[in-house]
Amino acid sequence: MRTIAQGQLFRVLEHRMFGINANPFRYYILEDSTSASVSGGVDYNVKLTHYHWYTEPQMKLLCHDLFEDVFAPGVWHG
């Protein structure tokens, strides 16, 4: 699992099952921390959503609908 995007209020992780870089074996996890709180270095109320059958451009468009800093420089790590 690797982080492919990190903004102020979100993070997108890519996971490849069995190490295969093909669409049926790859899915994305969106960590939404808009309503999260931090206590003692631990984030609480972070919403995790799994997206199967999505591509990276589709994840960019989905995140653009939810967050403002999606296309800021340095957010997507490729």
Side-chain angles (χ1 to χ4, degrees), residues 50-68:
H50 292 76
Y51 290 97
H52 297 273
W53 305 103
Y54 270 59
T55 62
E56 189 171 332
Q58 288 174 324
M59 285 302 296
K60 288 181 181 180
L61 291 175
L62 175 77
C63 291
H64 180 62
D65 291 341
L66 300 174
F67 307 103
E68 295 178 1

Side-chain angles (χ1 to χ4, degrees), residues 1 3 18 20 49 55 58 66 70 75:
M1 186 173 311
T3 303
F18 311 117
I20 300 172
T49 309
T55 62
Q58 288 174 324
L66 300 174
V70 172
V75 172

Side-chain angles (χ1 to χ4, degrees), residues 1-2 13-29 50-55:
M1 186 173 311
R2 68 184 184 117
L13 305 165
E14 177 188 53
H15 187 261
R16 297 176 182 173
M17 296 187 312
F18 311 117
I20 300 172
N21 188 16
N23 216 12
F25 300 101
R26 180 176 53 214
Y27 65 92
Y28 297 94
I29 301 170
H50 292 76
Y51 290 97
H52 297 273
W53 305 103
Y54 270 59
T55 62

Side-chain angles (χ1 to χ4, degrees), residues 6-48:
Q6 186 164 3
Q8 280 187 316
L9 299 175
F10 75 97
R11 205 164 64 150
V12 178
L13 305 165
E14 177 188 53
H15 187 261
R16 297 176 182 173
M17 296 187 312
F18 311 117
I20 300 172
N21 188 16
N23 216 12
F25 300 101
R26 180 176 53 214
Y27 65 92
Y28 297 94
I29 301 170
L30 174 65
E31 287 184 2
D32 182 2
S33 59
T34 53
S35 61
S37 60
V38 179
S39 176
V42 179
D43 293 330
Y44 293 99
N45 299 325
V46 174
K47 183 179 175 185
L48 297 176

